[in-house]
Structures are given as C-alpha cells and as structure tokens.
Short mmCIF file of all heavy atoms in Angstrom, two decimals:
data_model
loop_
_atom_site.label_atom_id
_atom_site.label_comp_id
_atom_site.label_asym_id
_atom_site.label_seq_id
_atom_site.Cartn_x
_atom_site.Cartn_y
_atom_site.Cartn_z
N THR A 1311 9.15 -5.40 -1.41
CA THR A 1311 9.09 -4.35 -2.42
C THR A 1311 7.76 -3.62 -2.27
O THR A 1311 6.82 -4.10 -1.63
CB THR A 1311 9.17 -4.94 -3.84
OG1 THR A 1311 8.01 -5.75 -4.06
CG2 THR A 1311 10.44 -5.74 -4.05
N ARG A 1312 7.67 -2.49 -2.88
CA ARG A 1312 6.42 -1.72 -2.86
C ARG A 1312 5.32 -2.53 -3.54
O ARG A 1312 4.18 -2.56 -3.08
CB ARG A 1312 6.65 -0.38 -3.57
CG ARG A 1312 5.50 0.60 -3.41
CD ARG A 1312 5.95 1.99 -3.92
NE ARG A 1312 4.95 2.99 -3.63
CZ ARG A 1312 4.00 3.34 -4.49
NH1 ARG A 1312 3.93 2.78 -5.68
NH2 ARG A 1312 3.13 4.28 -4.16
N ASN A 1313 5.66 -3.17 -4.66
CA ASN A 1313 4.64 -3.97 -5.36
C ASN A 1313 4.16 -5.14 -4.52
O ASN A 1313 2.99 -5.52 -4.60
CB ASN A 1313 5.18 -4.47 -6.71
CG ASN A 1313 5.18 -3.39 -7.76
OD1 ASN A 1313 4.65 -2.30 -7.55
ND2 ASN A 1313 5.78 -3.68 -8.90
N PHE A 1314 5.03 -5.73 -3.72
CA PHE A 1314 4.61 -6.82 -2.83
C PHE A 1314 3.53 -6.31 -1.87
O PHE A 1314 2.51 -6.97 -1.66
CB PHE A 1314 5.82 -7.35 -2.04
CG PHE A 1314 5.52 -8.54 -1.17
CD1 PHE A 1314 5.83 -9.82 -1.61
CD2 PHE A 1314 4.96 -8.39 0.09
CE1 PHE A 1314 5.57 -10.94 -0.81
CE2 PHE A 1314 4.70 -9.49 0.90
CZ PHE A 1314 5.00 -10.77 0.45
N ILE A 1315 3.75 -5.13 -1.31
CA ILE A 1315 2.77 -4.54 -0.39
C ILE A 1315 1.47 -4.23 -1.12
O ILE A 1315 0.37 -4.52 -0.62
CB ILE A 1315 3.32 -3.26 0.28
CG1 ILE A 1315 4.53 -3.57 1.14
CG2 ILE A 1315 2.23 -2.55 1.08
CD1 ILE A 1315 4.24 -4.39 2.37
N ILE A 1316 1.56 -3.66 -2.30
CA ILE A 1316 0.36 -3.33 -3.07
C ILE A 1316 -0.41 -4.59 -3.41
O ILE A 1316 -1.64 -4.67 -3.21
CB ILE A 1316 0.72 -2.52 -4.34
CG1 ILE A 1316 1.20 -1.11 -3.94
CG2 ILE A 1316 -0.48 -2.44 -5.29
CD1 ILE A 1316 1.81 -0.32 -5.07
N GLN A 1317 0.28 -5.61 -3.90
CA GLN A 1317 -0.39 -6.86 -4.26
C GLN A 1317 -1.00 -7.53 -3.03
O GLN A 1317 -2.13 -8.03 -3.09
CB GLN A 1317 0.57 -7.79 -4.98
CG GLN A 1317 0.91 -7.31 -6.38
CD GLN A 1317 1.92 -8.22 -7.05
OE1 GLN A 1317 3.11 -8.02 -6.89
NE2 GLN A 1317 1.42 -9.19 -7.77
N THR A 1318 -0.30 -7.53 -1.93
CA THR A 1318 -0.84 -8.09 -0.70
C THR A 1318 -2.10 -7.34 -0.28
O THR A 1318 -3.10 -7.95 0.11
CB THR A 1318 0.22 -8.04 0.44
OG1 THR A 1318 1.36 -8.80 0.04
CG2 THR A 1318 -0.33 -8.57 1.73
N SER A 1319 -2.07 -6.03 -0.40
CA SER A 1319 -3.23 -5.21 -0.05
C SER A 1319 -4.42 -5.54 -0.93
O SER A 1319 -5.56 -5.57 -0.45
CB SER A 1319 -2.88 -3.73 -0.18
OG SER A 1319 -1.84 -3.39 0.70
N LEU A 1320 -4.17 -5.78 -2.21
CA LEU A 1320 -5.26 -6.15 -3.12
C LEU A 1320 -5.84 -7.51 -2.75
O LEU A 1320 -7.07 -7.69 -2.73
CB LEU A 1320 -4.75 -6.17 -4.57
CG LEU A 1320 -4.41 -4.81 -5.18
CD1 LEU A 1320 -3.60 -4.99 -6.46
CD2 LEU A 1320 -5.68 -4.02 -5.45
N ILE A 1321 -4.99 -8.46 -2.44
CA ILE A 1321 -5.44 -9.80 -2.07
C ILE A 1321 -6.26 -9.75 -0.77
O ILE A 1321 -7.31 -10.38 -0.66
CB ILE A 1321 -4.26 -10.77 -1.91
CG1 ILE A 1321 -3.62 -11.04 -3.28
CG2 ILE A 1321 -4.70 -12.09 -1.25
CD1 ILE A 1321 -2.28 -11.72 -3.22
N LEU A 1322 -5.78 -8.98 0.19
CA LEU A 1322 -6.45 -8.89 1.49
C LEU A 1322 -7.65 -7.94 1.47
O LEU A 1322 -8.33 -7.79 2.48
CB LEU A 1322 -5.45 -8.46 2.56
CG LEU A 1322 -4.27 -9.39 2.80
CD1 LEU A 1322 -3.31 -8.81 3.84
CD2 LEU A 1322 -4.75 -10.77 3.22
N LYS A 1323 -7.85 -7.29 0.33
CA LYS A 1323 -8.94 -6.33 0.17
C LYS A 1323 -8.89 -5.21 1.21
O LYS A 1323 -9.89 -4.85 1.83
CB LYS A 1323 -10.30 -7.04 0.19
CG LYS A 1323 -10.44 -8.07 -0.93
CD LYS A 1323 -11.85 -8.51 -1.13
CE LYS A 1323 -11.99 -9.55 -2.21
NZ LYS A 1323 -11.49 -9.25 -3.50
N LEU A 1324 -7.67 -4.68 1.37
CA LEU A 1324 -7.47 -3.57 2.29
C LEU A 1324 -7.98 -2.28 1.67
O LEU A 1324 -8.06 -2.17 0.44
CB LEU A 1324 -5.99 -3.42 2.65
CG LEU A 1324 -5.30 -4.63 3.26
CD1 LEU A 1324 -3.85 -4.29 3.60
CD2 LEU A 1324 -6.04 -5.12 4.50
N ASP A 1325 -8.28 -1.30 2.49
CA ASP A 1325 -8.64 0.00 1.95
C ASP A 1325 -7.35 0.83 1.77
O ASP A 1325 -6.26 0.37 2.12
CB ASP A 1325 -9.68 0.71 2.81
CG ASP A 1325 -9.21 1.04 4.22
OD1 ASP A 1325 -8.00 1.25 4.43
OD2 ASP A 1325 -10.07 1.11 5.12
N ILE A 1326 -7.50 2.01 1.23
CA ILE A 1326 -6.33 2.85 0.93
C ILE A 1326 -5.53 3.18 2.19
O ILE A 1326 -4.30 3.11 2.19
CB ILE A 1326 -6.78 4.16 0.22
CG1 ILE A 1326 -7.45 3.85 -1.12
CG2 ILE A 1326 -5.60 5.11 0.04
CD1 ILE A 1326 -6.57 3.17 -2.14
N ASP A 1327 -6.22 3.53 3.27
CA ASP A 1327 -5.51 3.88 4.50
C ASP A 1327 -4.71 2.69 5.04
O ASP A 1327 -3.57 2.86 5.48
CB ASP A 1327 -6.50 4.36 5.58
CG ASP A 1327 -7.10 5.71 5.24
OD1 ASP A 1327 -6.48 6.48 4.47
OD2 ASP A 1327 -8.19 6.01 5.75
N GLU A 1328 -5.30 1.50 5.00
CA GLU A 1328 -4.59 0.31 5.48
C GLU A 1328 -3.37 0.02 4.62
O GLU A 1328 -2.30 -0.30 5.13
CB GLU A 1328 -5.53 -0.90 5.50
CG GLU A 1328 -6.63 -0.81 6.53
CD GLU A 1328 -7.70 -1.87 6.35
OE1 GLU A 1328 -8.12 -2.12 5.20
OE2 GLU A 1328 -8.12 -2.44 7.37
N MET A 1329 -3.53 0.15 3.30
CA MET A 1329 -2.41 -0.10 2.41
C MET A 1329 -1.31 0.94 2.62
O MET A 1329 -0.13 0.60 2.69
CB MET A 1329 -2.84 -0.10 0.95
CG MET A 1329 -1.68 -0.45 0.04
SD MET A 1329 -2.03 -0.33 -1.69
CE MET A 1329 -2.52 1.35 -1.79
N ASN A 1330 -1.69 2.20 2.74
CA ASN A 1330 -0.69 3.25 2.97
C ASN A 1330 0.05 3.03 4.28
O ASN A 1330 1.24 3.30 4.38
CB ASN A 1330 -1.33 4.64 2.92
CG ASN A 1330 -1.48 5.15 1.50
OD1 ASN A 1330 -0.73 4.76 0.60
ND2 ASN A 1330 -2.45 6.00 1.30
N TYR A 1331 -0.65 2.52 5.29
CA TYR A 1331 -0.02 2.22 6.57
C TYR A 1331 1.05 1.14 6.38
O TYR A 1331 2.17 1.27 6.88
CB TYR A 1331 -1.08 1.77 7.57
CG TYR A 1331 -0.54 1.42 8.94
CD1 TYR A 1331 0.13 2.37 9.71
CD2 TYR A 1331 -0.71 0.15 9.45
CE1 TYR A 1331 0.62 2.04 10.97
CE2 TYR A 1331 -0.22 -0.18 10.71
CZ TYR A 1331 0.43 0.76 11.46
OH TYR A 1331 0.93 0.45 12.69
N LEU A 1332 0.72 0.09 5.63
CA LEU A 1332 1.71 -0.96 5.36
C LEU A 1332 2.90 -0.39 4.58
O LEU A 1332 4.05 -0.73 4.87
CB LEU A 1332 1.08 -2.11 4.57
CG LEU A 1332 0.07 -2.97 5.30
CD1 LEU A 1332 -0.46 -4.06 4.36
CD2 LEU A 1332 0.65 -3.58 6.56
N LEU A 1333 2.63 0.45 3.61
CA LEU A 1333 3.70 1.07 2.82
C LEU A 1333 4.61 1.89 3.73
O LEU A 1333 5.84 1.84 3.60
CB LEU A 1333 3.13 1.92 1.69
CG LEU A 1333 2.51 1.16 0.53
CD1 LEU A 1333 1.70 2.09 -0.37
CD2 LEU A 1333 3.57 0.42 -0.29
N GLN A 1334 4.02 2.63 4.65
CA GLN A 1334 4.82 3.43 5.59
C GLN A 1334 5.68 2.54 6.46
O GLN A 1334 6.87 2.82 6.67
CB GLN A 1334 3.92 4.30 6.46
CG GLN A 1334 3.31 5.46 5.74
CD GLN A 1334 2.34 6.23 6.62
OE1 GLN A 1334 1.71 5.68 7.51
NE2 GLN A 1334 2.22 7.52 6.36
N LEU A 1335 5.10 1.46 6.99
CA LEU A 1335 5.86 0.55 7.84
C LEU A 1335 7.03 -0.07 7.08
O LEU A 1335 8.07 -0.36 7.66
CB LEU A 1335 4.97 -0.56 8.40
CG LEU A 1335 3.98 -0.17 9.49
CD1 LEU A 1335 3.12 -1.37 9.88
CD2 LEU A 1335 4.69 0.41 10.70
N ALA A 1336 6.84 -0.28 5.78
CA ALA A 1336 7.89 -0.88 4.95
C ALA A 1336 8.90 0.17 4.48
O ALA A 1336 9.89 -0.18 3.82
CB ALA A 1336 7.26 -1.57 3.74
N GLY A 1337 8.66 1.43 4.81
CA GLY A 1337 9.57 2.49 4.38
C GLY A 1337 9.42 2.84 2.90
O GLY A 1337 10.36 3.34 2.29
N LYS A 1338 8.24 2.58 2.36
CA LYS A 1338 7.98 2.86 0.95
C LYS A 1338 7.06 4.07 0.84
O LYS A 1338 6.36 4.43 1.78
CB LYS A 1338 7.29 1.66 0.27
CG LYS A 1338 8.00 0.34 0.45
CD LYS A 1338 9.39 0.34 -0.11
CE LYS A 1338 10.07 -1.01 0.09
NZ LYS A 1338 11.47 -0.98 -0.20
N SER A 1339 7.03 4.68 -0.33
CA SER A 1339 6.17 5.84 -0.52
C SER A 1339 4.71 5.41 -0.58
O SER A 1339 4.38 4.36 -1.13
CB SER A 1339 6.56 6.59 -1.79
OG SER A 1339 6.42 5.76 -2.92
N THR A 1340 3.86 6.24 0.01
CA THR A 1340 2.42 5.97 -0.02
C THR A 1340 1.90 6.33 -1.42
O THR A 1340 2.62 6.92 -2.23
CB THR A 1340 1.69 6.78 1.06
OG1 THR A 1340 1.97 8.17 0.88
CG2 THR A 1340 2.12 6.34 2.46
N LEU A 1341 0.65 5.97 -1.66
CA LEU A 1341 0.07 6.24 -2.98
C LEU A 1341 0.04 7.73 -3.27
O LEU A 1341 -0.30 8.53 -2.40
CB LEU A 1341 -1.37 5.72 -3.06
CG LEU A 1341 -1.56 4.23 -3.24
CD1 LEU A 1341 -3.04 3.94 -3.48
CD2 LEU A 1341 -0.73 3.65 -4.34
N TYR A 1342 0.35 8.07 -4.49
CA TYR A 1342 0.29 9.43 -4.98
C TYR A 1342 -0.47 9.37 -6.30
O TYR A 1342 0.07 8.91 -7.32
CB TYR A 1342 1.70 9.99 -5.17
CG TYR A 1342 1.74 11.41 -5.69
CD1 TYR A 1342 1.22 12.45 -4.93
CD2 TYR A 1342 2.30 11.71 -6.92
CE1 TYR A 1342 1.25 13.75 -5.38
CE2 TYR A 1342 2.34 13.01 -7.39
CZ TYR A 1342 1.81 14.03 -6.62
OH TYR A 1342 1.84 15.32 -7.07
N VAL A 1343 -1.74 9.79 -6.28
CA VAL A 1343 -2.60 9.55 -7.44
C VAL A 1343 -2.23 10.34 -8.68
O VAL A 1343 -2.80 10.10 -9.74
CB VAL A 1343 -4.10 9.74 -7.10
CG1 VAL A 1343 -4.56 8.72 -6.09
CG2 VAL A 1343 -4.38 11.15 -6.64
N ARG A 1344 -1.29 11.22 -8.60
CA ARG A 1344 -0.81 11.89 -9.81
C ARG A 1344 0.18 11.01 -10.58
O ARG A 1344 0.54 11.30 -11.70
CB ARG A 1344 -0.20 13.25 -9.48
CG ARG A 1344 -1.26 14.21 -8.99
CD ARG A 1344 -0.81 15.63 -9.08
NE ARG A 1344 -1.82 16.54 -8.62
CZ ARG A 1344 -2.76 17.06 -9.40
NH1 ARG A 1344 -2.82 16.75 -10.67
NH2 ARG A 1344 -3.64 17.90 -8.91
#
C-alpha cells in the first residue's frame, strides 16, 4: 500500500526523493504537498 511505503520510508529515514522513487516503483502517487 502507499502507507506501507511511506511508513517504511520513515523507518529507514529516507529523504523525499528516495521515498518518491519507492512510490513510483510501487505504482503509487508521489507526494503532493497540497
């Protein structure tokens, strides 16, 4: 799920670009700050 990727990114202390890359690989939408 998208939340799984976000939570994993938080645990691994990834930056925004790294997290967005994972989201893209998972076929999920990248962060949209609006």
Side-chain angles (χ1 to χ4, degrees):
T1311 64
R1312 190 169 187 266
N1313 282 352
F1314 185 98
I1315 296 293
I1316 291 170
Q1317 288 177 273
T1318 299
S1319 298
L1320 290 166
I1321 291 167
L1322 299 177
K1323 300 194 181 305
L1324 302 182
D1325 63 28
I1326 297 298
D1327 291 336
E1328 292 169 317
M1329 184 186 58
N1330 277 333
Y1331 180 61
L1332 291 180
L1333 288 167
Q1334 287 176 330
L1335 287 177
K1338 308 300 180 191
S1339 61
T1340 57
L1341 283 188
Y1342 180 64
V1343 296
R1344 293 199 179 271

